[in-house]
Amino acid sequence: MGVERSSSEVPLRRVWDSLQRVGFGLCIFDDALRLIAVNDPFCDLFGAAGERLQYGTSLSQFVRELIAQKVVRQDDEETWIAECTDALRSGTTLQLKLSDGRICKLVTTLGHESGLTLVAEDVTRTRYSEETLREAKEFAEKANIMKSRFLRAANHDLRQPLATMKILVYNCMSVEDPEARSQALRSMDLTVSVMEELLGALLNVGQLDAGAIVPRVASFPVATLFKRLGVQFIHQAEDKGLNLTIVPTSCHIATDQLLLERILANFLSNAIRYTDYGRILLGCRRIDNKLRIEVYDTGRGIAPEHHERIFDEFFRINTGGSHSERTALGLGLNVAKRLSQLLETPISLRSAPGRGSVFSITVPIGDIWRSEVGQNDITEALTGEFVGVEALIVEDDSVLRDALSTLLDRWGIIVHAAGNYDQALQMAAEKRPDLVISDFQLPGGSNGLDVCRSVQTALGEEIPCIIVTADTDERRLAEISAAGLPLLIKPIAPARLRVLMHHVLFEENDTSSDFQSEAG
């Protein structure tokens, strides 16, 4: 809209017509701060409040209409109206956030003798672009902080296996007994493996802030994890005169093994650092379908007011302890908390001054049939348990059949090897097997399920069976699962095979209900 003017002001009208076409809003007040001219862009910018502008409208009335027409929303309206009016009178530039989310910039130009001019412009896009640049700058600064934090965390965490390696090398140099030296070398090899995976874990931790890390959840035996932690920390505990006890367990859990190891490693490292004498215990207990893994220590304990802050980044309790305590970065428990949040596995703390501490984490029970086990993770407690067991192997691939037969023979098993369905039934009739291990795909149109059913029917009893296959089609796996038989995917991992054999031969019959609950 435009305010009417005298027809004799032709030159001024032409000027004003030109100002109507400019790309910004223009509004002119006289020396009494009464409106004498306004262009359409100005009215359009302020919507309902702009439509109410007319010749003689005061500056304060215009500001009040911004509130009355809900073009601008403020909690303390009267205070805002007074402050905004005073600011415009004094020539202050304002940025108004309108109710619809737009941002308007109001620039006041004071006349040489009297009056004022308001220039209004929608700067929403510019403002948001500035915010985007500011956020990008903050992100870059945060990235630099994360890089520094990562380097400090790497220095902190890598000291653990390096300290273990130093002790092992020293011990190995003075050991003369071949068996003891061999054991030390095996421990060194496992420690190097820990360091390699630790470097990978630290890289993952460095990505936590960016949200780029995705946990790899799988089922695995807790014993595997405990063994690795034992190798990593038992020498450090002994070097400080502490007794580190790891309680054996046969449970399986489902989570990211490497990330969980970092959490427990931080618990153990913290326990060793702040325990002057006594013992540290790593164990677990089952609670419904969860497993709570706990690290106990007889250390100094933590006062209740520090229980929450102990997980904050770089937080350390000043106890005036050893040099290693004073130089600790205070990242371990913070990393543990962040990883536990990522895994959705809650951690907790029970502690009191002078009474030690218990750090724990609760994880889901895993599935033994889908458990991932490395060949080096076979526990010594299983050695010799298969001696005298008779197993029927059904595999049409002669190379794989011979390799599997050799492996089982090394474990003390009496092997009967068949290449097809008919040979398997004939061998089972001649000598009752204690266990059947059958490939799923067999020649002649039969399969491993047919073999297992026929052998059990012929012998009139539930002979333990394991199915092996390279076929990962979901329908095929569902068919095997529906039959209730444990499954191994080729290539066969000896450790995984051994764990399954142990369960189907020695645990399933006696503790079937408990085991099924634990596995599922």
Side-chain angles (χ1 to χ4, degrees), residues 405-418:
S405 298
T406 301
L407 175 65
L408 298 186
D409 182 69
R410 286 170 47 199
W411 293 346
I413 296 174
I414 301 172
V415 180
H416 306 283

Side-chain angles (χ1 to χ4, degrees), residues 147-330:
K147 180 176 67 175
S148 298
R149 179 189 305 158
F150 165 76
L151 293 175
R152 288 193 291 267
N155 172 73
H156 171 264
D157 284 353
L158 280 174
R159 287 181 180 274
Q160 305 301 334
L162 283 174
T164 299
M165 179 63 75
K166 185 175 180 180
I167 294 172
L168 288 171
V169 171
Y170 177 81
N171 291 341
C172 190
M173 292 174 62
S174 59
V175 170
E176 296 182 358
D177 179 62
E179 180 61 29
R181 181 183 291 270
S182 177
Q183 178 61 42
L185 290 173
R186 285 194 295 270
S187 297
M188 290 167 64
D189 180 67
L190 186 54
T191 301
V192 171
S193 176
V194 169
M195 292 173 62
E196 290 175 344
E197 295 194 11
L198 175 56
L199 286 172
L202 285 171
L203 289 172
N204 289 334
V205 169
Q207 297 173 333
L208 276 171
D209 289 327
I213 181 171
V214 178
R216 179 181 177 273
V217 176
S219 292
F220 61 91
V222 180
T224 300
L225 180 61
F226 280 11
K227 180 179 180 182
R228 292 172 57 85
L229 290 168
V231 170
Q232 187 175 352
F233 287 98
I234 195 165
H235 295 285
Q236 297 176 48
E238 291 176 351
D239 191 50
K240 197 174 178 181
L242 302 174
N243 177 25
L244 174 58
T245 302
I246 299 179
V247 181
T249 176
S250 61
C251 290
H252 288 67
I253 54 178
T255 186
D256 187 305
Q257 179 175 347
L258 192 54
L259 298 184
L260 177 60
E261 182 177 333
R262 295 311 315 135
I263 294 173
L264 295 175
N266 281 318
F267 288 171
L268 287 168
S269 175
N270 200 66
I272 292 174
R273 177 175 292 112
Y274 295 103
T275 300
D276 299 317
Y277 58 86
R279 64 183 303 208
I280 297 167
L281 184 142
L282 172 62
C284 59
R285 61 181 66 192
R286 183 165 180 168
I287 303 174
D288 297 327
N289 64 336
K290 304 283 187 179
L291 192 72
R292 189 166 68 200
I293 305 175
E294 300 175 316
V295 175
Y296 295 77
D297 67 60
T298 58
R300 303 165 204 169
I302 303 168
E305 61 266 25
H306 296 315
H307 283 194
E308 291 295 329
R309 294 197 62 201
I310 197 71
F311 294 100
D312 291 346
E313 192 174 54
F314 301 111
F315 178 78
R316 291 182 297 143
I317 300 175
N318 185 12
T319 60
S322 65
H323 175 73
S324 65
E325 295 172 26
R326 295 193 303 271
T327 56
L329 295 171

